[in-house]
Amino acid sequence: MEELLRSILGDTTLVYVIAAALPLLFILPYALVTVWLEMKVSAHMQDRVAYMYTGPHGIAQPIADILKLLQKEDTVPGMADKLLYTLSPFFVFMGTYAAFAAIPFSSAYIGSNIDLGVFYIVAISSLVVIGILMAGWASNNKWSLFGAIRSVAQIVSYEIPTALALLVAVMITQSLNLQEVSRFQEGGIQNWVVFGGPLPLLKKLLLIPFTLTAFVILFIAGIAEVNRTPFDLPEAESELVQGYNTEYSGMKFAIFYLAEYANMFLVSAVAATLFLGGWNSPFGDFLSGPIWGFIWFVTKGMFFIFLQIWIRWTLPRLRVDQLMYMSWKVLTPFLFACIFAVGLILVL
Amino acid sequence: MNEPKVLPTDYVTKPGEFKTSTGKTLRTDEMIINMGPQHPSTHGVLRLEVVLDGEIVVDVIPHIGYLHRCFEKHAEHMTNYQQVIPYADRMDYLASMNNDWAYALAVERLLNIVVPPRVEYIRVIMAELQRIASHLIAIGTYGIDMGAFTPFLWCFRDRERILDLFEMTCGARLLYNYIWVGGVSHDLPPGFVEKAKDFCTYFRPKIKELNDVLSFNEIFIKRTANVGVLPKDVAINYACSGPMLRGSGVNWDLRRDDPYGVYDKFEWEVQIGKGEMGTVGDCWDRYMVRVREMEQSVKIIEQALAGIPEGNVQSAIPKRIRPDRGEVYVRTESPRGELGFYVVSDGTASPYRIKARSPAFVNLSVLPEISRGCMLADLVAIVGSVDIVLGEVDR
Amino acid sequence: MSSVRTYFRDIWMALYTVAVGMRVTFKHLFTPAVTVQYPDVKLKLPERARNRLYVNIDDCIGCDQCALACPVDCITIETIKSTPDQDLGVTSTGQKKRLHVPVFDIDIAKCCYCGLCVYPCPTECIVMTDVYEFSEFERHNLIYHYSRMTPAEIAEAKEKLKKAEEEAAAKKAAAAAAKPAAPANPPAQAPSEQKPPSAT
């Protein structure tokens, strides 16, 4: 991507600024669409229809929501720590947005083609933890502090299953570079890592239970990373009013909101790229190419988003200690077993 | 009288505490947090002062009175006994039919009126429909407290059908003023019996759906089983009643053990908690007692609809209510427990004193006992399982 | 050994019940919604619906039963007796009206919609309609004044009543003066002191 821009504009910093801002061009419309999708899917699951007034079937409602948030008063609680309070939404958004640099949207576009893609994503998305802790502390509110503490424990604990599940996929694809991982899985649905990757049939059949398990666990850990039900204790509406978000209003709240949706897509994109073939078409060569690749990628991402919305509106939430129990005593041991088995199968 | 008052929160000095120069203990390990009157999950304006040690609840002190509307004092100034019924409606606004019936029973005992059998059947049908509606709210809001947003809306959708039935009969959806002293205000409208039968057939599969999504969901079970265990003897000592008592395994239901109306003519089972998913008397047991009671209520309604006799519903309504001097206490089984009215009459047309024994008030008093040592998230589960309505707690 | 079994059993039950729940929610995606789009579509209320009060003031005989029956005292009625030479007409149920009703106010903000005022009315002139959209911007607009007597008519009615009472008092004094030696005869009750019997 940078080569194209450099050939147009020359070797200036503007090239890098544009390259860094390009995923934003995707995230902002995606956020609007996801807000609308969540509203409609949740409404139909609950036997009601959501907004019908702003545009046909409420299509313009997310725009109305954004406009409303923009024109709200930007309150800062009296005794709050002003610097931390103002900075925290940006830290949360930065942590998520920076990870978009290493996601391959299509065979022709990846923000930054680094060889450490997976490692970089896991590392930089931990910045979110600092942002949430800042938000909880700086609000000068016991309830926010509670939410922030719970959230820190949760995100830090669920990094382990995430990293281990990614490790399972990386062991099969032999590369941490996400563009390489996507290229590894071209050729059709049977070559996707979740079905064993492009390996001989016997090894594939042996690998499938473990890759499936790792895929499911990656998805569950991803939901926990995003703080969505059933892991949304930090924002538990029934207990903590809004958790670490309680004191925020207006544009800062909009940035938290945007960061949450961006994080949802990040987790979906990573799962889709590593396990479901990324921008590859499931039919092999039919319907493939740079543009089609982008479409397939977005479709797979939105499928995961739909799954996350569906799960959110069905399940109750887990208590903090049950969350921890699940991460350390259920997901991690299963993944250790998977890694051991996958390693054995690949070597033999 | 200058001795320092021993507050229930005066603990023994623990490691990490400091004593100030005046000898008072500065508690530095525990955080006192207010689940204040406005809170998404305290089911009304209830203030819970929670003393927390990290996530563990050390003590809970409920503060009530934010919804006190002087029901008992108002009742003394009404010009006649019938005028008290709209006020009685508003005590437990989610179970108005049961409130009306309890009060009407009390005054009828004072006057020695016998109501026609059709009135008794109508009252049973209305009370059981109201019981289903009230339990639907209890279940739906309990789901929301646990984080399951969808069953709440399904419960309200089903409740709308019941409210449609009520609106057809007496004109109001929530506060009915329907069950009067000596009878009911309107006879059943044409089409009511068919519509009620339709509702019964419609509702049974909905209970199964609710069980699939919420009751037997493993996450929900993990949140509510073994939480807030109320042992049998503690429940009886604290005078708990209703699903709280039955959830702890005590086989006591006023509709069977102290029958009023025509409850002794119907066949139904009293549901008690058996500790299926954890200990007997935990939150899941109480919740499940409510779900199963809804099924039994449907059974009672179907039997009542099949056997309802003809007659004039207003023949026993007295023109002028002027009971002799005396007092009476009548207790009924409302969805929350034993609702009792103690009416004192001094021979005039307006009551001398009415005292309402509200089940939610008494059930709430057991909260500190069962929530010591649980986590904050469990406290929400326990408060939800007590099923309080602040209108009744504060009257 | 049993704790290992419970461990695996818990995991299996979690996955299974979550899947069952998700299946139910998925099916609901395709069931039609039960809500209506309110301001465009309004549900019809049943005929017994108890919402805003309406008073047909032409039928009101001023008996004050509804005001007495109201538990929250939201009805205010003032009446002026009419003299025998005035003809106020007949209500639609056939009763002769004997009282002017200059003030018939219902504070609909205080009303608790219990319907207790409807039952005692002898002419069935106060009814509960099915109107439920009657919010106002000003609080005082929620006090409904049902009486249609103008101030001139009220003053005229009061004048007539005063004159009739004065004449009756004068007649009584004349009759008492004309019979000074009639002891212990209680004077006849003036007919205008009696209230019309309530027809409840």
Side-chain angles (χ1 to χ4, degrees):
Chain A
M1 195 71 225
E2 296 94 63
E3 297 85 33
L4 181 62
L5 282 174
R6 234 178 266 150
S7 60
I8 302 179
L9 294 169
D11 196 10
T12 60
T13 37
L14 192 60
V15 165
Y16 298 108
V17 169
I18 295 181
L22 268 178
L24 205 60
L25 261 183
F26 172 72
I27 290 183
L28 292 177
Y30 147 79
L32 292 179
V33 167
T34 312
V35 168
W36 181 85
L37 190 69
E38 167 138 39
M39 170 180 101
K40 277 294 176 180
V41 166
S42 69
H44 282 278
M45 280 184 183
Q46 293 163 357
D47 280 352
R48 58 183 174 97
V49 293
Y51 305 96
M52 303 284 266
Y53 281 106
T54 47
H57 285 275
I59 288 187
Q61 183 64 34
I63 304 179
D65 275 340
I66 299 289
L67 285 176
K68 174 202 82 165
L69 282 172
L70 278 175
Q71 51 94 37
K72 269 201 173 171
E73 179 189 357
D74 205 8
T75 56
V76 178
M79 302 277 285
D81 193 328
K82 281 205 173 34
L83 183 66
L84 290 180
Y85 185 82
T86 322
L87 277 184
S88 57
F90 298 104
F91 262 85
V92 174
F93 185 65
M94 262 196 313
T96 315
Y97 185 63
F100 269 88
I103 305 271
F105 280 84
S106 142
S107 51
Y109 176 74
I110 179 170
S112 154
N113 201 357
I114 50 179
D115 278 329
L116 273 182
V118 170
F119 184 75
Y120 164 75
I121 291 178
V122 171
I124 201 82
S125 59
S126 310
L127 211 52
V128 166
V129 171
I130 302 183
I132 293 182
L133 196 55
M134 280 163 63
W137 175 256
S139 302
N140 192 35
N141 181 347
K142 281 178 190 164
W143 293 106
S144 303
L145 190 59
F146 250 122
I149 294 176
R150 285 174 173 177
S151 175
V152 165
Q154 175 183 320
I155 296 186
V156 165
S157 314
Y158 276 89
E159 301 256 329
I160 314 265
T162 315
L164 289 178
L166 292 176
L167 198 57
V168 170
V170 162
M171 280 205 296
I172 297 181
T173 61
Q174 303 286 322
S175 166
L176 283 173
N177 185 341
L178 281 173
Q179 195 73 289
E180 288 294 323
V181 165
S182 305
R183 282 210 191 92
F184 185 79
Q185 296 174 65
E186 57 192 0
I189 191 171
Q190 72 279 5
N191 281 344
W192 290 356
V193 169
V194 75
F195 296 120
L199 295 175
L201 190 60
L202 179 63
K203 280 203 174 171
K204 254 168 98 95
L205 285 177
L206 285 176
L207 275 177
I208 283 185
F210 302 105
T211 51
L212 268 177
T213 317
F215 172 55
V216 168
I217 294 183
L218 175 65
F219 187 61
I220 296 176
I223 303 183
E225 291 279 312
V226 190
N227 286 341
R228 276 180 78 83
T229 323
F231 305 105
D232 71 343
L233 224 45
E235 323 171 329
E237 275 156 20
S238 331
E239 292 160 31
L240 306 176
V241 188
Q242 189 76 10
Y244 60 88
N245 266 339
T246 314
E247 299 284 343
Y248 284 86
S249 72
M251 200 55 213
K252 301 200 185 91
F253 181 73
I255 296 192
F256 267 123
Y257 214 48
L258 181 66
E260 174 172 331
Y261 282 109
N263 217 351
M264 271 168 73
F265 191 76
L266 177 69
V267 156
S268 315
V270 166
T273 309
L274 275 163
F275 280 94
L276 247 54
W279 40 257
N280 286 306
S281 141
F283 308 115
D285 278 330
F286 181 60
L287 293 182
S288 70
I291 312 284
W292 274 109
F294 179 70
I295 295 179
W296 283 114
F297 177 75
V298 171
T299 312
K300 289 171 195 171
M302 291 313 278
F303 166 70
F304 281 112
I305 300 277
F306 170 71
L307 213 56
Q308 288 183 8
I309 296 178
W310 182 8
I311 290 184
R312 175 186 186 181
W313 295 101
T314 312
L315 300 177
R317 69 174 67 95
L318 287 170
R319 207 175 54 202
V320 155
D321 60 327
Q322 291 164 351
L323 222 139
M324 293 293 137
Y325 172 87
M326 201 165 110
S327 163
W328 293 100
K329 290 199 190 171
V330 175
L331 298 184
T332 314
F334 268 79
L335 276 173
F336 277 144
C338 281
I339 291 180
F340 187 66
V342 167
L344 216 57
I345 295 173
L346 284 177
V347 157
L348 294 174
Chain B
M1 277 297 288
N2 278 340
E3 290 157 15
K5 212 164 46 151
V6 176
L7 300 167
T9 54
D10 230 331
Y11 301 105
V12 177
T13 316
K14 289 163 48 177
E17 285 182 337
F18 301 94
K19 276 211 170 351
T20 64
S21 55
T22 57
K24 282 168 69 163
T25 319
L26 254 187
R27 278 193 300 282
T28 57
D29 274 344
E30 291 143 6
M31 188 155 80
I32 299 186
I33 219 171
N34 219 7
M35 278 175 79
Q38 295 139 329
H39 193 93
S41 77
T42 55
H43 294 272
V45 278
L46 171 69
R47 176 170 159 230
L48 289 174
E49 197 183 322
V50 183
V51 182
L52 286 170
D53 179 13
E55 280 259 352
I56 310 280
V57 169
V58 174
D59 199 5
V60 173
I61 305 159
H63 296 266
I64 58 174
Y66 289 90
L67 198 50
H68 182 61
R69 295 157 295 169
C70 313
F71 157 70
E72 298 173 358
K73 193 70 187 168
H74 269 299
E76 292 171 19
H77 289 276
M78 291 291 112
T79 48
N80 58 28
Y81 280 79
Q82 295 280 29
Q83 274 187 342
V84 177
I85 293 187
Y87 283 90
D89 270 341
R90 281 152 174 81
M91 253 179 39
D92 177 1
Y93 36 82
L94 297 175
S96 300
M97 289 287 186
N98 294 286
N99 289 7
D100 290 351
W101 192 4
Y103 172 73
L105 265 183
V107 183
E108 282 163 12
R109 289 251 174 104
L110 269 181
L111 294 169
N112 285 322
I113 299 177
V114 174
V115 292
R118 186 175 168 87
V119 168
E120 296 281 19
Y121 273 79
I122 293 180
R123 284 179 174 181
V124 166
I125 294 173
M126 293 300 169
E128 293 306 311
L129 278 173
Q130 184 67 77
R131 190 179 309 267
I132 298 178
S134 171
H135 282 324
L136 279 172
I137 297 192
I139 291 168
T141 50
Y142 199 46
I144 273 212
D145 286 347
M146 296 294 108
F149 305 100
T150 318
F152 172 72
L153 282 144
W154 294 349
C155 290
F156 266 68
R157 171 202 62 194
D158 301 330
R159 191 169 165 261
E160 281 298 310
R161 298 234 177 175
I162 301 182
L163 295 188
D164 281 343
L165 281 171
F166 285 147
E167 202 178 10
M168 224 168 92
T169 314
C170 64
R173 278 161 49 94
L174 199 67
L175 303 161
Y176 312 108
N177 189 23
Y178 179 65
I179 300 186
W180 283 1
V181 176
V184 288
S185 70
H186 297 89
D187 201 349
L188 296 177
F192 180 88
V193 176
E194 287 76 36
K195 213 165 165 197
K197 282 198 186 125
D198 283 341
F199 169 73
C200 291
T201 33
Y202 158 84
F203 188 58
R204 279 214 164 90
K206 302 294 172 190
I207 302 184
K208 179 168 180 325
E209 199 180 61
L210 195 66
N211 282 340
D212 278 339
V213 171
L214 195 58
S215 320
F216 293 109
N217 188 318
E218 188 70 16
I219 301 180
F220 183 75
I221 294 176
K222 279 272 173 310
R223 280 300 295 274
T224 51
N226 291 322
V227 165
V229 177
L230 179 63
K232 232 183 196 176
D233 49 338
V234 175
I236 298 179
N237 285 341
Y238 271 84
C240 296
S241 49
M244 275 209 86
L245 187 63
R246 291 196 279 281
S248 298
V250 180
N251 198 343
W252 176 257
D253 188 328
L254 283 175
R255 295 174 285 171
R256 181 200 58 194
D257 297 321
D258 191 3
Y260 52 99
V262 285
Y263 274 113
D264 39 7
K265 292 210 175 93
F266 303 122
E267 270 187 42
W268 49 285
E269 287 154 22
V270 174
Q271 301 298 325
I272 50 175
K274 298 187 195 82
E276 288 166 29
M277 297 285 171
T279 352
V280 178
D282 57 18
C283 292
W284 195 85
D285 273 342
R286 295 194 274 274
Y287 163 85
M288 210 54 200
V289 162
R290 291 195 181 101
V291 173
R292 293 190 175 132
E293 268 186 13
M294 286 202 301
E295 279 176 278
Q296 299 300 316
S297 289
V298 172
K299 233 166 132 182
I300 298 180
I301 295 173
E302 285 177 336
Q303 291 171 51
L305 285 171
I308 188 167
E310 298 296 325
N312 183 359
V313 295
Q314 299 185 329
S315 57
I317 297 184
K319 287 274 185 290
R320 193 163 288 218
I321 301 181
R322 201 180 278 258
D324 301 324
R325 290 180 80 96
E327 54 194 36
V328 71
Y329 176 72
V330 160
R331 53 185 186 168
T332 58
E333 181 85 16
S334 91
R336 282 166 187 83
E338 176 183 318
L339 173 66
F341 274 89
Y342 175 64
V343 180
V344 179
S345 154
D346 59 351
T348 58
S350 76
Y352 178 71
R353 171 86 170 98
I354 295 182
K355 156 116 179 88
R357 184 243 191 240
S358 71
F361 178 71
V362 179
N363 288 350
L364 189 59
S365 64
V366 82
L367 186 68
E369 183 79 25
I370 56 178
S371 47
R372 294 216 173 92
C374 73
M375 303 179 74
L376 189 60
D378 291 336
L379 185 63
V380 173
I382 298 174
V383 170
S385 77
V386 176
D387 189 18
I388 49 176
V389 170
L390 265 297
E392 195 173 55
V393 170
D394 290 338
R395 269 154 290 151
Chain C
M1 194 55 199
S2 70
S3 65
V4 177
R5 276 194 67 197
T6 9
Y7 174 78
F8 281 107
R9 185 198 150 274
D10 276 349
I11 296 177
W12 164 246
M13 283 308 287
L15 288 170
Y16 175 69
T17 51
V18 164
V20 163
M22 282 174 70
R23 201 180 116 221
V24 173
T25 343
F26 192 70
K27 273 205 294 221
H28 268 268
L29 263 183
F30 304 107
T31 52
V34 295
T35 53
V36 295
Q37 295 296 105
Y38 165 61
D40 303 330
V41 176
K42 293 188 193 168
L43 292 174
K44 188 166 177 327
L45 295 179
E47 55 173 288
R48 292 188 191 178
R50 292 202 312 238
N51 296 97
R52 185 169 71 172
L53 280 171
Y54 172 70
V55 177
N56 185 358
I57 198 68
D58 294 325
D59 273 352
C60 177
I61 63 171
C63 61
D64 217 30
Q65 289 298 312
C66 54
L68 287 172
C70 177
V72 288
D73 297 330
C74 69
I75 306 183
T76 319
I77 299 182
E78 279 176 23
T79 51
I80 305 177
K81 281 190 281 282
S82 68
T83 52
D85 59 314
Q86 286 176 327
D87 179 21
L88 281 86
V90 173
T91 69
S92 59
T93 51
Q95 282 168 311
K96 189 157 166 41
K97 291 202 277 192
R98 292 208 165 84
L99 294 171
H100 294 284
V101 185
V103 174
F104 194 124
D105 290 347
I106 298 185
D107 190 350
I108 207 75
K110 276 196 207 157
C111 173
C112 68
Y113 304 96
C114 61
L116 281 176
C117 53
V118 178
Y119 305 105
C121 181
T123 55
E124 292 178 13
C125 71
I126 185 168
V127 290
M128 304 206 81
T129 57
D130 62 351
V131 175
Y132 51 89
E133 297 155 308
F134 49 90
S135 48
E136 302 276 349
F137 283 102
E138 308 267 342
R139 271 264 292 267
H140 59 83
N141 285 339
L142 283 176
I143 303 180
Y144 294 166
H145 307 283
Y146 280 104
S147 167
R148 287 201 299 265
M149 292 179 72
T150 59
E153 287 175 354
I154 298 176
E156 189 192 323
K158 283 197 178 136
E159 277 297 315
K160 281 202 175 151
L161 180 65
K162 218 166 85 169
K163 252 196 253 168
E165 281 181 348
E166 281 169 1
E167 280 174 14
K171 257 200 228 160
K172 205 172 71 173
K179 287 182 176 175
N185 251 3
Q189 281 279 5
S192 59
E193 294 304 318
Q194 270 172 341
K195 270 192 151 347
S198 68
T200 342

